[in-house]
Amino acid sequence: MNIIEIIEKKKNKEILTNEEIEYVIENFLNGNIKDYQMSSLLMAICINGMEKDEIFNLTKAMLDSGDKIDLSEIKGTKVDKHSSGGIGDKTTLVLLPIVASLGVNVAKMSGRGLGFTGGTIDKLESIDGFEVEKSREDFLKQVEEIGIALVSQSGNLVPADKKIYALRDVSGTVESTALIASSIMSKKLASGADAIVLDVKVGKGALMKNVESARKLGKTMKEIGEAFGKKMSIFLTNMEEPLGYAVGNGLEVKEAIDTLKGNGPKDLEYLCFKLASQMVSFGLSIPVEEAEEKVKEVLKNGKAYQKFEEWITYQGGDINKIEISSNYQEIRSSKEGFITNIDALKIGYLVKDLGAGRNKKEDEIDYGVGVVIHKKVGEYIKQGESLLTIYYNKEYKEEDFINCFIISDKQKEKNKLIYEIM
Ligand code: URA
């Protein structure tokens, strides 16, 4: 087999065989296939796409490139959740304790953020003392004792994705249904859960810019998961404006706590309620409507919040010590009108530049910085009213943040939060 012939084949819109796909993954990992050859193939895939069987075979070859987590020692249906990445997305912090408080065991691995998207591990590290690394034995013991554990991705999970993703990032080949689906699904399948709920973000602040492309990605991932015997549910959700009010690690943890206590932003509260209900439905094998009643109950009677406290304390965190910068500035609106747009992507980049995110994997981050938005799309703001508060530890330009908001005389109809559940 020869990489040049494989590149030519994809360039000519032909279908790659399983053997060819396995050859590519194996030889790219061991260095026989060079970065420039792999980027050329990735670009051909981006342009000409892949058929269903090819995507399945690519996912399997990537999955088989490394370790797989075995969760079979944990009782019951293990449910995992993944978001394709968004601004202010702290749903995992809210969902896991809800689900665990209803007796569904959660054993989850999460990553750190890169670029404008935040990572759950970074958010949790803003809590003083929280330990994100655990041995496999301690991880499983924790799930057995309190029904919930979340640790940093470790070991040799899908090394093919690490190497391919790094190349995609610098070769203009991130946006491809085949490549995104195989990247996300190989990691989810390696994490060992029986059921997977995927939140595919749609909009300016997301990888998928419109509902059609998100639907295509969602359908592909659902088919891959089901072919591996997993229960799958796909949510297509709005990422035109940030989710909730807070963006930035410590600030987002505080907002997750408020949400668990019933005082969260309405959009975040609703999305968490729907995602959690789907997870509980899978975990307890009950209809979603019945799961919704149970979720409402644990939010109301405080059990979900108690589970959050138990979880954070078990992993060494002090819930009363969440890093938030003491330097803050409130920005007031110079205009009056309806908020018709909040540019989530720009906010994501600005918050990263405040120090909340990384440009390179090795960068240190500032857990205490970020923004809290005070008005969301569709709301009316008066002149002099508070638009947002910036938490900082270094200089920034006020106008950059103000320019993320469009204020207009006419009210615009707000986009739906959940476009579709597949
Ligand atoms: N997230 C991933 O893990 N992989 C992609 O390709 C895109 C988003």
Side-chain angles (χ1 to χ4, degrees):
M1 231 172 276
N2 173 322
I3 182 63
I4 300 164
E5 281 170 19
I6 296 174
I7 296 170
E8 295 275 356
K9 246 181 119 174
K10 198 31 81 190
K11 188 178 80 181
N12 295 325
K13 301 191 178 148
E14 288 174 49
I15 294 174
L16 304 183
T17 64
N18 186 31
E19 290 67 35
E20 285 166 335
I21 289 171
E22 282 177 349
Y23 169 86
V24 168
I25 296 301
E26 188 187 326
N27 285 279
F28 179 54
L29 261 186
N30 68 21
N32 287 338
I33 294 178
K34 303 297 171 205
D35 279 3
Y36 51 83
Q37 294 172 314
M38 191 64 179
S39 357
S40 177
L41 178 62
L42 291 169
M43 186 54 87
I45 295 173
C46 268
I47 294 170
N48 292 329
M50 279 183 138
E51 296 289 324
K52 196 167 142 186
D53 283 353
E54 290 178 289
I55 304 176
F56 177 85
N57 291 334
L58 177 59
T59 308
K60 181 153 187 336
M62 285 167 65
L63 169 66
D64 290 342
S65 71
D67 301 339
K68 290 168 205 153
I69 311 281
D70 179 4
L71 298 179
S72 56
E73 284 167 46
I74 301 171
K75 290 186 292 294
T77 304
K78 276 75 66 184
V79 187
D80 198 358
K81 172 261 166 188
H82 180 81
S83 153
S84 66
I87 316 298
D89 187 352
K90 65 286 283 176
T91 49
T92 297
L93 301 177
V94 183
L95 293 171
L96 298 199
I98 296 178
V99 171
S101 71
L102 285 163
V104 179
N105 285 325
V106 246
K108 185 164 171 57
M109 295 201 153
S110 283
R112 292 178 194 280
L114 190 60
F116 66 86
T117 57
T120 303
I121 289 295
D122 296 328
K123 300 181 212 272
L124 285 165
E125 278 188 334
S126 68
I127 306 172
D128 192 50
F130 191 91
E131 290 155 15
V132 298
E133 266 153 40
K134 282 198 171 249
S135 67
R136 185 186 133 73
E137 292 67 38
D138 286 347
F139 177 59
L140 295 180
K141 183 166 161 264
Q142 182 178 334
V143 179
E144 198 180 303
E145 286 180 10
I146 64 164
I148 178 170
L150 189 149
V151 293
S152 175
Q153 238 157 51
S154 62
N156 194 28
L157 232 56
V158 199
D161 180 63
K162 278 198 195 93
K163 201 166 171 198
I164 295 172
Y165 199 88
L167 198 54
R168 285 170 60 206
D169 218 15
V170 294
S171 61
T173 53
V174 169
E175 281 167 54
S176 145
T177 303
L179 298 178
I180 298 174
S182 53
S183 163
I184 293 180
M185 286 309 295
S186 56
K187 285 177 290 202
K188 288 291 107 184
L189 293 167
S191 305
D194 310 300
I196 303 164
V197 177
L198 292 177
D199 181 5
V200 179
K201 300 287 182 199
V202 188
K204 274 206 241 37
L207 222 44
M208 297 289 117
K209 304 293 179 211
N210 56 59
V211 178
E212 291 69 40
S213 56
R215 189 181 291 126
K216 187 171 159 209
L217 175 66
K219 182 170 176 283
T220 307
M221 294 196 290
K222 190 171 163 95
E223 283 169 357
I224 297 173
E226 285 173 353
F228 278 90
K230 308 292 176 190
K231 291 188 197 172
M232 299 288 300
S233 175
I234 318 282
F235 283 59
L236 308 184
T237 70
N238 184 338
M239 191 30 79
E240 290 291 339
E241 64 177 333
L243 186 61
Y245 297 121
V247 185
N249 298 294
L251 294 165
E252 292 192 39
V253 174
K254 284 247 186 224
E255 190 165 88
I257 293 174
D258 288 344
T259 307
L260 282 163
K261 287 181 168 175
N263 308 315
K266 290 292 156 251
D267 57 346
L268 177 64
E269 214 166 64
Y270 181 68
L271 184 56
C272 289
F273 167 67
K274 295 302 268 186
L275 289 168
S277 301
Q278 183 59 64
M279 292 171 79
V280 170
S281 161
F282 278 157
L284 301 180
S285 295
I286 56 172
V288 175
E289 297 71 30
E290 197 178 324
E292 285 184 351
E293 292 309 310
K294 288 184 182 288
V295 170
K296 272 186 205 155
E297 203 178 312
V298 291
L299 282 167
K300 205 161 156 212
N301 65 18
K303 289 219 168 116
Y305 177 67
Q306 279 163 25
K307 185 53 80 179
F308 178 83
E309 265 193 345
E310 189 184 9
W311 162 38
I312 300 301
T313 309
Y314 195 107
Q315 285 191 233
D318 182 344
I319 210 130
N320 298 311
K321 287 194 191 151
I322 299 169
E323 202 172 321
I324 310 265
S325 173
S326 52
N327 302 312
Y328 61 88
Q329 189 196 355
E330 195 179 341
I331 302 207
R332 293 175 183 277
S333 180
S334 59
K335 281 200 217 160
E336 170 151 353
F338 293 98
I339 311 272
T340 55
N341 191 41
I342 305 175
D343 191 325
L345 190 59
K346 258 200 215 157
I347 298 249
Y349 278 117
L350 289 170
V351 169
K352 178 189 71 105
D353 291 343
L354 283 175
R358 302 179 179 80
N359 289 316
K360 296 187 301 307
K361 252 194 0 238
E362 318 66 63
D363 289 350
E364 295 260 327
I365 60 174
D366 186 340
Y367 296 107
V369 297
V371 298
V372 176
I373 291 161
H374 301 303
K375 294 278 178 183
K376 301 268 292 186
V377 171
E379 289 184 62
Y380 195 80
I381 189 159
K382 289 193 199 131
Q383 196 177 1
E385 240 188 308
S386 194
L387 187 61
L388 82 158
T389 304
I390 303 173
Y391 292 79
Y392 63 95
N393 281 319
K394 62 164 142 163
E395 279 181 31
Y396 59 88
K397 283 204 209 116
E398 241 177 82
E399 318 84 76
D400 291 343
F401 287 89
I402 295 170
N403 289 341
C404 294
F405 293 78
I406 297 180
I407 300 174
S408 155
D409 295 343
K410 280 206 207 101
Q411 190 165 22
K412 191 186 101 182
E413 204 180 316
K414 204 172 156 89
N415 285 332
K416 277 203 227 162
L417 177 60
I418 300 177
Y419 291 113
E420 209 168 302
I421 302 175
M422 303 164 69

